[in-house]
């Protein structure tokens, strides 16, 4: 870059060069393969990143290439007489992106897997991440907001919603991604049972499961019936391939997105006749792990709620009043308990025959959530079961459910007025279980 540099090259008898091509040791792939710590350490490249960084810094004179995807453009540049300065600047930026991602992989592994820097908390002393822009979206949550989709480049964990394939329809919007993320998560909350979740504004309009013999179409039918008015313009997610029978049901419903692990060929033939519906092929999400939320000046991190607390197993529930539930009632209670996790707090979910029939979500007091769930269920409230994501602070909210004819309730318990709540359920002759586990969702 400078005359004295050229003098040093001449003095040391070093020939100048214009192109550096480096492939770094495959550290991340080695870690993901399950290799031993020693094998992983052996794949930490030292000289490679040094060469890349030096060449990128010297980009006014040198082009640096770090990806085989660039080899074709290298050949084109050589044939045309070399890289322009603008091209070398772009390559230099890519090179620093590449080494930053590589260093993040190494530092994250060292501070998480190789040595515990969390002081026993499970949260490391340092976290880092890199994100690659996948697409620019039309707009954000509202038309005046700009938005883009980025994929996680620092912690490769396999394809997920951000990498999902849109098989048909318009490009996904910001709100589509938000709702689809909630829908996919809800659809995989019920183990191996065929499940469908219908989501609007990140809240369920309906969730249902079916037996393998009934199939995914039956799960969709029941989920849609919960609140067909709210399902208009919603997002549908399944944990099974979409079948022709389900597609025939969906085709007459205005739906923004259908997300599924696969679509049968005859189902695609039916649904692709709808010009605007987005058909998204998305693999099953990974369970567990952590989730983050930005706040002003920082970020919150917590382990993801995957319904794995002791109180999420029905064997850990405590019968606090009424007769022990029979097999069918217990199955509905267990479904309701798992389904209410997907509902924004304060959350009440009424269920019957392994399907939601009334959902009260996002209210700032539990009484209003109970009223909303009952009003949406209508006549279906009588004989249903109820799940509450947190304890009843008073008996008033529960009383609304009892007056509507709910026959069994599952809730965390833990209120200072639990005795009052239990007494109300007992007076109504209703079965009530406490789980000792809460499922707030904000």
């Amino acid at each position: 870059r400078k005359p004295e540099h050229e003098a040093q090259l001449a003095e040391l008898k070093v020939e100048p060069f214009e192109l550096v091509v480096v492939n770094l040791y495959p550290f991340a792939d080695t870690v993901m393969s399950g290799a031993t710590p020693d094998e992983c350490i052996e794949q930490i490249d030292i000289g490679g990143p040094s060469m890349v960084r030096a060449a990128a810094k010297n980009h006014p004179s040198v082009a640096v290439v770090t990806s085989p995807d660039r080899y074709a453009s290298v050949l084109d540049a050589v044939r045309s007489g070399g890289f322009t300065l603008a091209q070398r600047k772009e390559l230099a930026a890519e090179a620093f992106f590449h080494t930053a991602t590589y260093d993040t992989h190494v530092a994250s592994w060292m501070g998480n897997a190789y040595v515990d820097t969390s002081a026993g908390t499970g949260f490391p002393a340092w976290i880092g991440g890199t994100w690659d822009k996948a697409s620019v979206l039309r707009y954000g949550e509202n038309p005046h907001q700009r938005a883009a989709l980025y994929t996680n480049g620092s912690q490769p964990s396999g394809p997920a919603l951000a990498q999902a394939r849109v098989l048909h329809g318009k490009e996904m919007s910001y709100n589509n991604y938000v709702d689809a993320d909630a829908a996919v998560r809800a659809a995989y909350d019920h183990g191996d049972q065929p499940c469908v979740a219908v989501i609007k504004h990140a809240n369920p309009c309906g969730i249902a499961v079916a037996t393998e013999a009934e199939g995914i179409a039956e799960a969709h039918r029941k989920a849609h019936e919960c609140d067909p008015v709210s399902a208009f313009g919603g997002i549908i997610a399944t944990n099974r391939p979409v079948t022709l029978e389900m597609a025939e049901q969906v085709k007459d419903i205005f739906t923004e997105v259908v997300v599924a692990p696969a679509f049968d060929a005859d189902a695609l033939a039916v649904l692709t006749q709808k010009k605007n519906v987005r058909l998204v092929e998305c693999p099953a999400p990974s369970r567990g792990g952590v989730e983050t939320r930005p706040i002003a000046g920082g970020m919150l991190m917590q382990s993801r709620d995957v319904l794995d607390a002791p109180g999420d197993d029905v064997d850990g529930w405590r019968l606090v009043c009424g007769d022990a539930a029979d097999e069918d009632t217990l199955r509905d209670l267990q479904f309701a308990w798992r389904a209410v996790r997907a509902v924004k707090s304060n959350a009440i979910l009424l269920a019957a025959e392994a399907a939601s029939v009334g959902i009260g979500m996002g209210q700032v007091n539990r009484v209003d959530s109970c009223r909303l769930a009952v009003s949406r269920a209508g006549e279906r409230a009588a004989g249903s079961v109820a799940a509450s994501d947190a304890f009843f602070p008073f008996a008033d909210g529960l009383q609304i459910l009892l007056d509507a004819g709910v026959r069994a309730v599952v809730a965390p318990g833990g209120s200072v007025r639990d005795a009052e709540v239990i007494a109300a359920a007992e007076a109504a002759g209703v079965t009530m279980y406490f789980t000792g586990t809460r499922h707030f969702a904000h």
Side-chain angles (χ1 to χ4, degrees), residues 130-263:
T130 62
W131 304 85
D132 302 317
K133 186 172 69 177
S135 63
V136 176
L137 307 178
R138 283 191 301 158
Y139 53 81
E141 199 163 6
N142 298 291
H144 66 279
Q145 295 173 268
R146 296 182 297 165
L149 172 68
Y150 285 78
T151 57
N152 191 335
S154 62
Q155 295 180 4
S157 57
L161 180 61
Q163 293 83 17
R165 290 200 306 150
V166 179
L167 305 180
H168 172 75
K170 297 184 294 185
E171 67 180 32
M172 294 276 283
S173 72
Y174 181 96
N175 291 333
N176 289 157
Y177 275 114
V178 171
D179 283 349
D181 191 55
V184 169
R185 184 174 174 185
Y188 284 88
D189 270 345
H190 296 270
D192 295 333
Q193 303 171 93
C195 181
V196 169
V198 183
I199 299 291
K200 190 88 162 284
H201 299 300
N203 264 308
C205 310
I207 302 175
V209 298
T211 65
E212 292 291 351
E214 291 170 331
I216 199 67
E218 176 63 8
H220 170 259
R221 183 191 65 78
K222 295 193 294 184
H224 179 75
E225 281 185 352
C226 178
D227 189 355
V229 173
S230 298
F232 181 87
I235 309 286
I236 299 172
T238 79
N239 66 348
R240 292 288 194 281
V242 174
T243 61
L244 174 61
E245 184 182 0
M246 177 177 165
E248 292 286 357
Q249 295 171 183
V250 173
K251 71 176 184 179
D252 296 324
I253 303 166
F254 173 54
T255 302
E256 287 275 348
V257 182
V258 181
V259 191
F263 293 79

Side-chain angles (χ1 to χ4, degrees), residues 350-368:
L350 306 187
E353 297 181 358
S356 60
V357 296
I359 304 173
M361 74 287 283
Q363 304 303 301
V364 292
N365 67 74
R366 200 155 296 276
V367 172
D368 284 344

Side-chain angles (χ1 to χ4, degrees), residues 289-313:
V290 297
E291 57 190 8
T292 60
R293 178 174 294 189
I295 60 172
M299 177 179 72
L300 297 171
M301 177 182 287
Q302 66 174 355
S303 57
R304 187 176 288 114
D305 186 354
V306 292
L307 294 156
D308 60 352
D312 293 323
D313 187 335

